[in-house]
Amino acid sequence: MSIHNINNMLTAVAVVIIAMALSSCMRDNDHDGTVRNDLPLEQLRDGDLLFRCGIGTQSQVVTKLDTADGTYSHVGIAVFDHGKWRVVHAVPGESNDGVDRVKVDAVDTFFMTSRAVHGAAMRMPCSPAAARIATHRALELARQGIPFDSHYNWSNHNELYCTELVQLAYEKAGIDLAQGRSTSIALPFHHGNIVFPSDIARNDSLQLVFKF
């Protein structure tokens, strides 16, 4: 194999790794993962934002691409539904039928050890009515089966990625979570701005509920 072909192969591998990282938005494999039973879920309120960072290579690449603050690689919105705390989030690779879409998971599963090396719950200090509007909107999008946005296109909401989902949910209540922040990305498969979880986590109005 020529040096040229080797270089092309290495470049292709690098692009695939980064693409997998972004399209994980941002999850890791569930092998040997356990559900966390020590989270203070009683402190949650409807509309709290749940941030996590995974433990694998994919999440590490994502957080490195987030040059502003790569603390978290994924975000969802908490809702008390059918007597249990759940999280609505847009994520690929975690569906039972192989179709990537907005979905609803139990919070302790969302934070299971194979998906989160650390995480946090943060609260937007808004009225309970505004929080309900946001959670109802998020649940509505989940029930509609909105596909995951693997192209990270902020201008088209027919498909959604994680930050796009929570931003839209709160916009329904008149609240701009990202406050106009985004991160410019120039990769072979994506050119443009992406709203990373840190672009939302840096909202100066958010209050920490708990972290681990």
Side-chain angles (χ1 to χ4, degrees):
M1 183 179 293
S2 68
I3 295 296
H4 177 73
N5 288 338
I6 291 174
N7 287 338
N8 285 344
M9 182 178 69
L10 292 175
T11 300
V13 169
V15 169
V16 167
I17 289 174
I18 295 173
M20 288 174 60
L22 274 179
S23 61
S24 71
C25 188
M26 311 206 181
R27 64 105 184 173
D28 295 285
N29 293 328
D30 293 338
H31 300 306
D32 302 320
T34 57
V35 172
R36 298 178 189 274
N37 296 314
D38 57 349
L39 299 173
L41 301 185
E42 71 281 358
Q43 297 181 20
L44 290 176
R45 295 181 187 172
D46 278 333
D48 284 351
L49 299 176
L50 305 183
F51 295 87
R52 77 184 187 197
C53 181
I55 63 176
T57 302
Q58 294 177 353
S59 287
Q60 292 176 21
V61 173
V62 169
T63 55
K64 289 185 183 300
L65 286 174
D66 181 2
T67 56
D69 176 11
T71 301
Y72 302 111
S73 55
H74 186 48
V75 62
I77 183 169
V79 55
F80 195 70
D81 183 48
H82 291 87
K84 186 172 184 178
W85 279 109
R86 304 181 189 275
V87 54
V88 185
H89 61 134
V91 62
E94 294 183 10
S95 66
N96 294 326
D97 59 6
V99 179
D100 297 332
R101 59 168 69 88
V102 177
K103 61 181 304 217
V104 183
D105 281 327
V107 170
D108 49 9
T109 301
F110 178 83
F111 281 136
M112 67 189 299
T113 58
S114 57
R115 296 183 182 181
V117 63
H118 60 260
M122 300 185 192
R123 178 170 301 148
M124 176 57 65
C126 59
S127 68
R132 282 194 298 272
I133 290 172
T135 56
H136 288 172
R137 179 56 174 158
L139 283 170
E140 180 182 43
L141 293 168
R143 291 174 184 133
Q144 291 173 3
I146 300 297
F148 176 79
D149 183 5
S150 59
H151 300 290
Y152 300 87
N153 183 357
W154 196 267
S155 63
N156 183 349
H157 300 319
N158 294 325
E159 300 177 334
L160 301 173
Y161 62 98
C162 65
T163 51
E164 189 178 9
L165 167 66
V166 298
Q167 176 75 15
L168 281 182
Y170 265 94
E171 281 184 357
K172 188 73 173 180
I175 296 171
D176 179 7
L177 291 176
Q179 299 176 315
R181 283 182 293 272
S182 63
T183 302
S184 178
I185 295 293
L187 295 171
F189 58 90
H190 182 89
H191 288 78
N193 290 344
I194 291 178
V195 176
F196 280 104
S198 71
D199 293 318
I200 290 177
R202 286 184 290 136
N203 185 312
D204 51 14
S205 295
L206 286 176
Q207 301 170 349
L208 181 66
V209 178
F210 66 76
K211 66 178 180 179
F212 64 91

